[in-house]
Amino acid sequence: MWLINSPIGRKVVMSLTGICLILFLTFHCCMNVAAFFSGDAYNVVCKFLGSNWYAVIGTVGLAFLAVCHIVYAFILTAQNRRARGNQRYEVTSRRPEVSWASQNMLVLGLIVLLGIILHMYNFWGHMMFAELTGMEVAHDPADGFAWIQETFSNPVYSILYLLWMVALWFHLTHGFWSSMQTLGFSGKIWLKRWQCIGMVYVSILMAVFAFLVLSFWLGFAPSMCCA
C-alpha cells in the first residue's frame, strides 16, 4: 500500500494525522474557554464527555492518530538521514528559506510527546482513567475545574506546560503549512498564505492555553471563574 510503503504516502499520513490533531486542539481550546467564565460550565462539558462510550471511542481514535503521527515522524526522519548520509555533517549553516523549526521538528516533537505524557498523567489519568477503573483520587473525576486549579497552582507544572506550548507553537506553525503543501493545497501564491494562516491560527490556540495556565498560576482566575 503506497500510504505505508512510499515516502510520499508516509508524508500524506503525517499531514492528515497532523491536521486531525490540530482540529482536536481546536476543540480542546474551545472547551477550555468555558473555564474562564464558569467552573460549573466547564464541569458540565467534562461530565458530558467523562467516561461515556463516545468519549472513550474518541480517546482511542485520538491515541491511534497520535501514535501514527509519531511513528511516521521517526520513519521519515530516519529515511531523510540515510538519504543525506555524511552530507549532513558538512553543513555548517542553514539556508535562509529553511526555518529553525523545520530543522528541529524531531526534537520539538519529542518535547511535545513528553508534554502529552505529562498532560495525560495530570488530567486523563485523574479523570477518565480514574472514572473507568474506580481509582480513588483527590477530586471527583468529573470535576475538571478542580484539577485545573490544583495542577496550575503548582509553579513547576505551570512552567513545564508553558515550555510545552512554546514547543507546540514551533512544531505546529511549521507543520500546518507543510501539511497543506504535502496535500497539494499550496502553490507559489498559497504557500505564503498558508504560512500566515498557520501562524495566526496556532498563535491564537497557544495564547488561549497559555492564558489559562497563567491565570490559575498567578491567582486571578477565581475572579472570573466560579467553581
Side-chain angles (χ1 to χ4, degrees), residues 84-101:
R84 289 197 301 266
N86 294 329
Q87 183 181 2
R88 66 179 183 271
Y89 300 110
E90 299 171 1
V91 179
T92 57
S93 61
R94 64 180 174 87
R95 300 189 306 273
E97 67 273 15
V98 178
S99 67
W100 178 87

mmCIF file of all heavy atoms in Angstrom, residues 84-101:
data_model
loop_
_atom_site.group_PDB
_atom_site.id
_atom_site.type_symbol
_atom_site.label_atom_id
_atom_site.label_comp_id
_atom_site.label_asym_id
_atom_site.label_seq_id
_atom_site.Cartn_x
_atom_site.Cartn_y
_atom_site.Cartn_z
ATOM 1 N N ARG A 84 20.720 11.571 3.260
ATOM 2 C CA ARG A 84 21.749 12.605 3.276
ATOM 3 C C ARG A 84 23.128 12.036 3.555
ATOM 4 O O ARG A 84 24.136 12.582 3.118
ATOM 5 C CB ARG A 84 21.412 13.687 4.316
ATOM 6 C CG ARG A 84 20.236 14.567 3.942
ATOM 7 C CD ARG A 84 20.229 15.829 4.761
ATOM 8 N NE ARG A 84 20.155 15.548 6.186
ATOM 9 C CZ ARG A 84 19.024 15.498 6.879
ATOM 10 N NH1 ARG A 84 17.875 15.665 6.259
ATOM 11 N NH2 ARG A 84 19.026 15.242 8.174
ATOM 12 N N GLY A 85 23.165 10.917 4.297
ATOM 13 C CA GLY A 85 24.450 10.310 4.612
ATOM 14 C C GLY A 85 25.350 11.257 5.378
ATOM 15 O O GLY A 85 24.916 11.956 6.295
ATOM 16 N N ASN A 86 26.619 11.307 4.990
ATOM 17 C CA ASN A 86 27.587 12.170 5.676
ATOM 18 C C ASN A 86 27.441 13.644 5.323
ATOM 19 O O ASN A 86 28.074 14.492 5.931
ATOM 20 C CB ASN A 86 29.013 11.726 5.345
ATOM 21 C CG ASN A 86 29.321 10.353 5.919
ATOM 22 O OD1 ASN A 86 28.780 9.981 6.961
ATOM 23 N ND2 ASN A 86 30.170 9.604 5.227
ATOM 24 N N GLN A 87 26.584 13.921 4.354
ATOM 25 C CA GLN A 87 26.443 15.310 3.906
ATOM 26 C C GLN A 87 25.939 16.214 5.022
ATOM 27 O O GLN A 87 26.281 17.384 5.094
ATOM 28 C CB GLN A 87 25.477 15.370 2.723
ATOM 29 C CG GLN A 87 25.309 16.768 2.138
ATOM 30 C CD GLN A 87 24.325 16.784 0.986
ATOM 31 O OE1 GLN A 87 23.743 15.764 0.638
ATOM 32 N NE2 GLN A 87 24.149 17.940 0.395
ATOM 33 N N ARG A 88 25.123 15.651 5.935
ATOM 34 C CA ARG A 88 24.556 16.492 6.994
ATOM 35 C C ARG A 88 25.620 17.034 7.933
ATOM 36 O O ARG A 88 25.443 18.052 8.579
ATOM 37 C CB ARG A 88 23.509 15.705 7.799
ATOM 38 C CG ARG A 88 24.055 14.544 8.608
ATOM 39 C CD ARG A 88 22.906 13.876 9.359
ATOM 40 N NE ARG A 88 23.346 12.783 10.213
ATOM 41 C CZ ARG A 88 23.465 11.540 9.823
ATOM 42 N NH1 ARG A 88 23.212 11.223 8.564
ATOM 43 N NH2 ARG A 88 23.858 10.608 10.665
ATOM 44 N N TYR A 89 26.779 16.332 8.014
ATOM 45 C CA TYR A 89 27.847 16.799 8.890
ATOM 46 C C TYR A 89 28.682 17.907 8.234
ATOM 47 O O TYR A 89 29.428 18.597 8.906
ATOM 48 C CB TYR A 89 28.761 15.635 9.264
ATOM 49 C CG TYR A 89 28.028 14.528 9.994
ATOM 50 C CD1 TYR A 89 27.803 13.302 9.374
ATOM 51 C CD2 TYR A 89 27.566 14.716 11.297
ATOM 52 C CE1 TYR A 89 27.124 12.283 10.043
ATOM 53 C CE2 TYR A 89 26.889 13.705 11.967
ATOM 54 C CZ TYR A 89 26.674 12.491 11.330
ATOM 55 O OH TYR A 89 26.006 11.490 11.993
ATOM 56 N N GLU A 90 28.534 18.047 6.905
ATOM 57 C CA GLU A 90 29.317 19.040 6.191
ATOM 58 C C GLU A 90 28.633 20.405 6.169
ATOM 59 O O GLU A 90 29.225 21.400 5.816
ATOM 60 C CB GLU A 90 29.543 18.570 4.750
ATOM 61 C CG GLU A 90 30.312 17.244 4.665
ATOM 62 C CD GLU A 90 30.329 16.699 3.244
ATOM 63 O OE1 GLU A 90 29.760 17.375 2.360
ATOM 64 O OE2 GLU A 90 30.895 15.620 3.017
ATOM 65 N N VAL A 91 27.352 20.444 6.554
ATOM 66 C CA VAL A 91 26.604 21.694 6.515
ATOM 67 C C VAL A 91 26.844 22.463 7.799
ATOM 68 O O VAL A 91 26.582 21.966 8.894
ATOM 69 C CB VAL A 91 25.093 21.422 6.336
ATOM 70 C CG1 VAL A 91 24.318 22.731 6.333
ATOM 71 C CG2 VAL A 91 24.849 20.655 5.036
ATOM 72 N N THR A 92 27.362 23.633 7.676
ATOM 73 C CA THR A 92 27.679 24.451 8.856
ATOM 74 C C THR A 92 26.665 25.561 9.086
ATOM 75 O O THR A 92 26.614 26.141 10.149
ATOM 76 C CB THR A 92 29.075 25.088 8.702
ATOM 77 O OG1 THR A 92 29.112 25.858 7.490
ATOM 78 C CG2 THR A 92 30.139 24.003 8.647
ATOM 79 N N SER A 93 25.849 25.874 8.094
ATOM 80 C CA SER A 93 24.826 26.907 8.252
ATOM 81 C C SER A 93 23.622 26.537 7.414
ATOM 82 O O SER A 93 23.747 25.885 6.392
ATOM 83 C CB SER A 93 25.360 28.278 7.814
ATOM 84 O OG SER A 93 25.738 28.248 6.450
ATOM 85 N N ARG A 94 22.454 26.946 7.882
ATOM 86 C CA ARG A 94 21.238 26.620 7.155
ATOM 87 C C ARG A 94 20.894 27.720 6.165
ATOM 88 O O ARG A 94 21.245 28.886 6.343
ATOM 89 C CB ARG A 94 20.079 26.420 8.140
ATOM 90 C CG ARG A 94 19.690 27.653 8.949
ATOM 91 C CD ARG A 94 18.532 27.320 9.877
ATOM 92 N NE ARG A 94 18.209 28.423 10.773
ATOM 93 C CZ ARG A 94 17.397 29.409 10.477
ATOM 94 N NH1 ARG A 94 16.838 29.469 9.276
ATOM 95 N NH2 ARG A 94 17.149 30.382 11.339
ATOM 96 N N ARG A 95 20.157 27.325 5.128
ATOM 97 C CA ARG A 95 19.724 28.296 4.131
ATOM 98 C C ARG A 95 18.681 29.215 4.738
ATOM 99 O O ARG A 95 17.916 28.805 5.608
ATOM 100 C CB ARG A 95 19.144 27.571 2.904
ATOM 101 C CG ARG A 95 20.136 26.640 2.234
ATOM 102 C CD ARG A 95 19.566 26.124 0.906
ATOM 103 N NE ARG A 95 18.257 25.524 1.091
ATOM 104 C CZ ARG A 95 18.063 24.256 1.422
ATOM 105 N NH1 ARG A 95 19.103 23.467 1.688
ATOM 106 N NH2 ARG A 95 16.836 23.779 1.537
ATOM 107 N N PRO A 96 18.610 30.471 4.271
ATOM 108 C CA PRO A 96 17.651 31.421 4.844
ATOM 109 C C PRO A 96 16.209 30.962 4.726
ATOM 110 O O PRO A 96 15.382 31.256 5.583
ATOM 111 C CB PRO A 96 17.891 32.696 4.013
ATOM 112 C CG PRO A 96 19.253 32.545 3.446
ATOM 113 C CD PRO A 96 19.479 31.090 3.253
ATOM 114 N N GLU A 97 15.882 30.237 3.643
ATOM 115 C CA GLU A 97 14.494 29.822 3.440
ATOM 116 C C GLU A 97 14.097 28.622 4.284
ATOM 117 O O GLU A 97 12.930 28.241 4.339
ATOM 118 C CB GLU A 97 14.251 29.496 1.949
ATOM 119 C CG GLU A 97 14.991 28.269 1.411
ATOM 120 C CD GLU A 97 16.393 28.596 0.915
ATOM 121 O OE1 GLU A 97 16.901 29.678 1.228
ATOM 122 O OE2 GLU A 97 16.960 27.738 0.200
ATOM 123 N N VAL A 98 15.081 28.001 4.951
ATOM 124 C CA VAL A 98 14.799 26.843 5.804
ATOM 125 C C VAL A 98 14.643 27.335 7.242
ATOM 126 O O VAL A 98 15.575 27.883 7.823
ATOM 127 C CB VAL A 98 15.932 25.801 5.711
ATOM 128 C CG1 VAL A 98 15.635 24.642 6.655
ATOM 129 C CG2 VAL A 98 16.084 25.317 4.278
ATOM 130 N N SER A 99 13.473 27.122 7.816
ATOM 131 C CA SER A 99 13.201 27.635 9.153
ATOM 132 C C SER A 99 13.891 26.783 10.214
ATOM 133 O O SER A 99 14.224 25.614 9.991
ATOM 134 C CB SER A 99 11.696 27.656 9.421
ATOM 135 O OG SER A 99 11.181 26.339 9.480
ATOM 136 N N TRP A 100 14.081 27.383 11.379
ATOM 137 C CA TRP A 100 14.667 26.659 12.503
ATOM 138 C C TRP A 100 13.779 25.494 12.900
ATOM 139 O O TRP A 100 14.276 24.399 13.208
ATOM 140 C CB TRP A 100 14.853 27.611 13.675
ATOM 141 C CG TRP A 100 15.409 26.944 14.898
ATOM 142 C CD1 TRP A 100 16.723 26.748 15.207
ATOM 143 C CD2 TRP A 100 14.668 26.362 15.978
ATOM 144 N NE1 TRP A 100 16.842 26.088 16.408
ATOM 145 C CE2 TRP A 100 15.603 25.843 16.912
ATOM 146 C CE3 TRP A 100 13.301 26.252 16.255
ATOM 147 C CZ2 TRP A 100 15.208 25.213 18.092
ATOM 148 C CZ3 TRP A 100 12.906 25.612 17.424
ATOM 149 C CH2 TRP A 100 13.850 25.102 18.323
ATOM 150 N N ALA A 101 12.462 25.707 12.880
ATOM 151 C CA ALA A 101 11.524 24.650 13.273
ATOM 152 C C ALA A 101 11.616 23.448 12.346
ATOM 153 O O ALA A 101 11.561 22.302 12.792
ATOM 154 C CB ALA A 101 10.090 25.198 13.280
#
